[in-house]
Amino acid sequence: MDEERLVRLVAKGDRAAFEELYRRTSPWMAVRLRRRCGDEQIVAEVMQETYLAVWRAAGAFAGAAVGGTALGWLWTIAARRLVDAFRRRAHHAEPPPAAALPDAAPAAEEEALAATVGGDVGDALRCLAPELRQVLQAMVLDGLSVRETAVLLGLPEGTVKTRARRARIAMRRALA
């Protein structure tokens, strides 16, 4: 039974299907989340929130009818939960107004990218404009489709395609 079928059964309240979906997808999900966040507590929190959302919203999964996949849908939920966790953490950890930051620290996503992709390719990726890098990361590193990337980033599909093309051109130039 594939993941899409499992999600459909979860939508009907099938606990065994939910357990099987979790068993199949949670290791993959944890690896992807750890690539973007080194804090195990946040990863565990996001995993829990993601699967709770899957249980509650499985009926909203449109699947192949709209060009999506169950794994893409799961990753979109998880990525949004991770962004929410980063926002919550940033909100609660704001420095006092009088504190001056000498240099901006690299974003967690930048650190994860550096740990994942090194050498000339990593350097070329880090030189991309942030909006191009986001699209390339979602489509290449995370394996999302254009539609899934558009949903994840809140962009029109045409914009995702344009940014992906611009990113690939820039990468070719940087690596030439």
Side-chain angles (χ1 to χ4, degrees), residues 93-132:
E94 287 189 35
L101 298 174
D103 287 321
E109 196 166 76
E110 294 296 326
E111 290 176 7
L113 179 62
T116 305
V117 182
D120 293 339
V121 174
D123 292 341
L125 269 173
R126 284 184 287 282
C127 289
L128 285 177
E131 66 273 6
L132 300 181

Side-chain angles (χ1 to χ4, degrees), residues 28-29 31-33 35-36 67-76 79 116-117 133-150 152-153 160 164 168:
W28 166 85
M29 183 76 66
V31 167
R32 289 198 179 268
L33 288 169
R35 261 201 243 158
R36 295 185 178 258
T69 64
L71 291 177
W73 182 68
L74 284 168
W75 175 245
T76 299
T116 305
V117 182
R133 187 172 47 249
Q134 283 179 327
V135 168
L136 205 57
Q137 278 182 276
M139 293 179 72
V140 176
L141 296 179
D142 296 331
L144 298 181
S145 69
V146 170
R147 177 183 277 299
E148 292 162 346
T149 300
L152 174 66
L153 299 176
V160 169
R168 288 185 180 109

Side-chain angles (χ1 to χ4, degrees), residues 20-115:
E20 178 65 15
L21 181 68
Y22 181 83
R23 187 190 64 75
R24 286 188 192 183
T25 61
S26 63
W28 166 85
M29 183 76 66
V31 167
R32 289 198 179 268
L33 288 169
R34 284 186 191 110
R35 261 201 243 158
R36 295 185 178 258
C37 176
D39 186 331
E40 283 298 319
Q41 183 178 358
I42 290 177
V43 170
E45 206 175 281
V46 168
M47 291 280 291
Q48 184 176 14
E49 290 175 10
T50 298
Y51 285 98
L52 179 60
V54 167
W55 177 257
R56 289 179 176 165
F61 173 63
V66 294
T69 64
L71 291 177
W73 182 68
L74 284 168
W75 175 245
T76 299
I77 293 169
R80 287 182 176 169
R81 296 297 188 270
L82 184 59
V83 168
D84 291 344
F86 284 150
R87 286 182 181 148
R88 279 192 307 271
R89 183 172 69 176
H91 177 73
H92 294 295
E94 287 189 35
L101 298 174
D103 287 321
E109 196 166 76
E110 294 296 326
E111 290 176 7
L113 179 62

